[in-house]
Amino acid sequence: MGGPVPTSGPYLGRVTSFDATRALGTVIDDEGQHELPFHATAILDGTRRIEPETVVTFCVAPGNGGRYEAVSISPLIAEVFADDER
């Protein structure tokens, strides 16, 4: 990870990987500086699954073993971006 990880947020980013069998994934911030692990229980919509490349908002918190992790992961709806591009 590049530089210190701020624990405030929320941040905009995207899911870079997700293994449904292990319920573990990673998310990267929109600046590409911090890639953080997360557990499926951090996904706020209750699905416990998320596709790679999904655009999300998330917060950062200290996790197990002293590592930072993404929490409060919320997928964004595609229509929001379509409205911004007009």
Side-chain angles (χ1 to χ4, degrees):
M1 265 187 280
V5 178
T7 55
S8 61
Y11 296 100
L12 182 64
R14 67 179 168 80
V15 175
T16 53
S17 68
F18 185 71
D19 181 340
T21 303
R22 295 176 55 213
L24 299 173
T26 57
V27 64
I28 193 164
D29 67 352
D30 63 340
E31 295 177 3
Q33 293 184 2
H34 302 292
E35 188 168 26
L36 301 159
F38 70 89
H39 188 269
T41 57
I43 303 169
L44 293 179
D45 67 6
T47 62
R48 302 299 184 245
R49 291 179 176 260
I50 195 164
E51 293 295 319
E53 301 303 320
T54 301
V55 176
V56 295
T57 59
F58 64 95
C59 294
V60 178
N64 294 330
R67 292 179 24 180
Y68 286 101
E69 59 187 46
V71 296
S72 302
I73 298 169
S74 182
L76 294 181
I77 300 169
E79 292 93 36
V80 171
F81 291 104
D83 289 342
D84 289 345
E85 293 176 1
R86 290 182 195 173

